[in-house]
Amino acid sequence: MMSACKTAPTYKVTPEPTLEQSSALSEEVCLDSFLLVPKRPCISFRGEKDNQTGAVQYYLLYEMGTFEVDLPIGVSLKLGDVWYNLKKSNTDYSDTIVISSSIAGDLVPKIGESKSIQVSYTSRKGTTNFQLKDAAVGKFQSSLSKLIRALESEPKLIIQKK
């Protein structure tokens, strides 16, 4: 459960001047593994810092292991005893499907404080629930915390418009 699914650069803030924002990705947490060999699905965080206002929006990324033909509906988080439906903001179709769901600002501290976290993915075919083990909960929370620090420490982009 603790192994990363892929080795993409994490916590590296990427300036996106055309979009007038900076963004960064967290490390991935695998939701399913067999004999310590990581496989999909995986979850991670993405943060986007608006260059003009300094506001940061966080997203939960849910990446499937295969290309599924059933229409993805959404992702939910259970923190403690309470379920939170996340608003789907984007679905990326490539060799796998990645669902990006926005995380409300008041939910960010709740993720960091929760002792129990469950992730639920729903498609037209059905719903799959994943209970994170203690070590995976710590990694999930640490990933979000590191991402927050990376984006907060990033200076404002200097963009000259002509």
Side-chain angles (χ1 to χ4, degrees), residues 128-147:
T128 307
N129 295 313
F130 298 95
Q131 178 69 46
L132 298 182
K133 304 287 188 224
D134 290 341
V137 168
K139 182 176 180 181
F140 186 68
Q141 292 168 326
S142 172
S143 292
L144 180 57
S145 178
K146 288 177 185 177
L147 183 67

Side-chain angles (χ1 to χ4, degrees), residues 28-66:
E28 291 182 326
V29 175
C30 292
L31 297 174
D32 195 13
S33 62
F34 178 70
L35 297 176
L36 302 176
V37 177
K39 62 179 182 177
R40 304 268 185 253
C42 291
I43 52 175
S44 60
F45 295 102
R46 175 179 168 84
E48 295 175 352
K49 183 177 182 180
D50 184 293
N51 194 54
Q52 295 188 16
T53 65
V56 181
Q57 176 61 54
Y58 296 100
Y59 300 90
L60 177 74
L61 306 179
Y62 177 91
E63 183 174 352
M64 292 181 208
T66 59

Side-chain angles (χ1 to χ4, degrees), residues 4-17:
C5 295
K6 63 181 178 184
T7 56
T10 54
Y11 311 113
K12 180 179 181 249
V13 177
T14 304
E16 297 177 295

Side-chain angles (χ1 to χ4, degrees), residues 26-27 128 150:
S26 76
E27 192 173 10
T128 307

